[in-house]
Amino acid sequence: MRHTLPLAPQFYVTAPQSCPYLEGRRERKLFTALQGDHASTLNDSLSKQGFRRSQNVLYRPSCSDCNACLSARIRVADFAPSKSQRRTLKRNASLTREARSPWATEEQYALFRDYLDSRHADGGMADMDVFEFAAMIEETPVRSRVVEYRDGDNAGRLAAVCLTDVLDDGLSMVYSFFRPDAARRSLGSHVILDHVEIAREAGLPYVYLGYWVPGSSKMGYKAGYAALEVYLGGAWQPLKDPDAFESETHPLSVEPIAEQVARLSLPDTRATDD
């Protein structure tokens, strides 16, 4: 008779640093390692509780006096594109899509560098070299895909890329980048809209978009998608009025780290042989 008890994941907190989204605020993350035989189960469980994956780490904002970052996801069954989003789909109708294994290419990296240099030259990823890029794409202990979009009328030129995790209840858009010289085409929006369609075809109920940050010009666009939910107060709730959300900055507005960890619902990974 053999009984294997689960090893509970250990959680840690990063040192505070400047917030990339809201000026004058400090960022801190709660994180845990994503590894072992039950990595996918843990990723599924914590993604439903506001966590995101970065390589072999799961993290969630846990700032000491701010709770502005809200995990966001689209309810696929209730989503309908807006008039402008339908125009975006029409403008990009010639794009072809291919879901590939998570393997980095020089072509992807060249597009990634063009995107960063144009859109995020002062961001935290600005200095990523080709080896770090390959690690971002390839170091995944869960079911991931690289979704490539190519121009059907331009010799198959790579137009956009999205690193996507396949969860048990949806698609998680880990990171996407696209041609910065085609602003009129709204390629970033097209990638989101197409992921909603991929999830619909696969019978998956959600598309996870990462964090929506009220007051942030970088992240505010996510509120423009219908059937959006945000994770707040330990539960998912519809985003009815984006302007009604205000980021709290009082030091008592955020629970202590120990309480946050205690409230997490962790998967039961026990294996028992009799």
Side-chain angles (χ1 to χ4, degrees):
M1 180 181 294
R2 179 175 65 87
H3 298 277
T4 303
L5 297 178
L7 295 177
Q10 300 298 303
F11 289 86
Y12 308 90
V13 182
T14 62
Q17 58 185 355
S18 297
C19 176
Y21 305 124
L22 298 173
E23 186 176 355
R25 302 198 189 180
R26 303 285 286 173
E27 175 192 59
R28 189 179 67 173
K29 293 186 176 77
L30 175 68
F31 71 95
T32 187
L34 186 62
Q35 58 191 359
D37 295 338
H38 304 290
S40 292
T41 303
L42 185 63
N43 190 36
D44 291 340
S45 178
L46 291 186
S47 292
K48 297 168 188 171
Q49 299 173 75
F51 281 75
R52 296 282 291 168
R53 184 182 71 82
S54 177
Q55 294 174 235
N56 60 353
V57 168
L58 285 171
Y59 70 92
R60 186 173 76 181
S62 181
C63 306
S64 59
D65 58 359
C66 176
N67 61 3
C69 295
L70 302 174
S71 186
R73 69 185 186 186
I74 296 172
R75 293 191 314 276
V76 172
D78 298 324
F79 176 80
S82 65
K83 186 176 180 180
S84 63
Q85 289 166 352
R86 290 196 297 271
R87 288 197 296 266
T88 294
L89 289 169
K90 185 175 181 180
R91 280 194 295 267
N92 294 290
S94 64
L95 286 178
T96 61
R97 176 223 302 156
E98 182 179 4
R100 305 164 58 96
S101 298
W103 188 257
T105 67
E106 293 183 2
E107 184 183 28
Q108 293 168 6
Y109 180 68
L111 179 61
F112 175 74
R113 286 275 18 131
D114 287 345
Y115 172 78
L116 287 185
D117 294 343
S118 176
R119 295 291 190 97
H120 304 287
D122 58 348
M125 302 174 73
D127 296 329
M128 281 183 65
D129 60 28
V130 65
F131 302 105
E132 293 168 320
F133 172 77
M136 180 181 74
I137 298 292
E138 298 173 10
E139 290 185 8
T140 170
V142 299
R143 185 183 177 192
S144 303
R145 296 290 183 270
V146 175
V147 185
E148 292 187 345
Y149 296 86
R150 295 183 179 275
D151 285 316
D153 56 357
N154 191 20
R157 180 181 180 183
L158 190 63
V161 175
C162 186
L163 175 61
T164 304
D165 286 351
V166 183
L167 308 178
D168 63 354
D169 72 340
L171 301 177
S172 178
M173 299 178 66
V174 177
Y175 193 79
S176 62
F177 51 95
F178 46 86
R179 283 177 50 196
D181 60 348
R184 183 179 173 275
R185 295 177 63 180
S186 301
L187 288 167
S189 178
H190 176 81
V191 172
I192 293 175
L193 296 170
D194 189 63
H195 271 65
V196 173
E197 184 58 29
I198 296 172
R200 195 190 308 276
E201 293 171 354
L204 296 171
Y206 301 108
V207 172
Y208 289 80
L209 300 181
Y211 296 107
W212 172 63
V213 186
S216 169
S217 58
K218 294 181 180 179
M219 309 299 279
Y221 71 90
K222 296 177 184 180
Y225 291 87
L228 196 73
E229 297 180 345
V230 293
Y231 191 76
L232 181 64
W236 291 95
Q237 56 182 277
L239 180 64
K240 296 179 180 179
D241 181 7
D243 296 331
F245 281 82
E246 296 182 2
S247 56
E248 300 179 38
T249 56
H250 192 278
L252 299 181
S253 65
V254 179
E255 293 178 335
I257 294 296
E259 291 185 20
Q260 292 183 43
V261 174
R263 291 179 183 273
L264 292 175
S265 176
L266 299 175
D268 185 352
T269 56
R270 287 175 294 186
T272 302
D273 292 341
D274 294 319

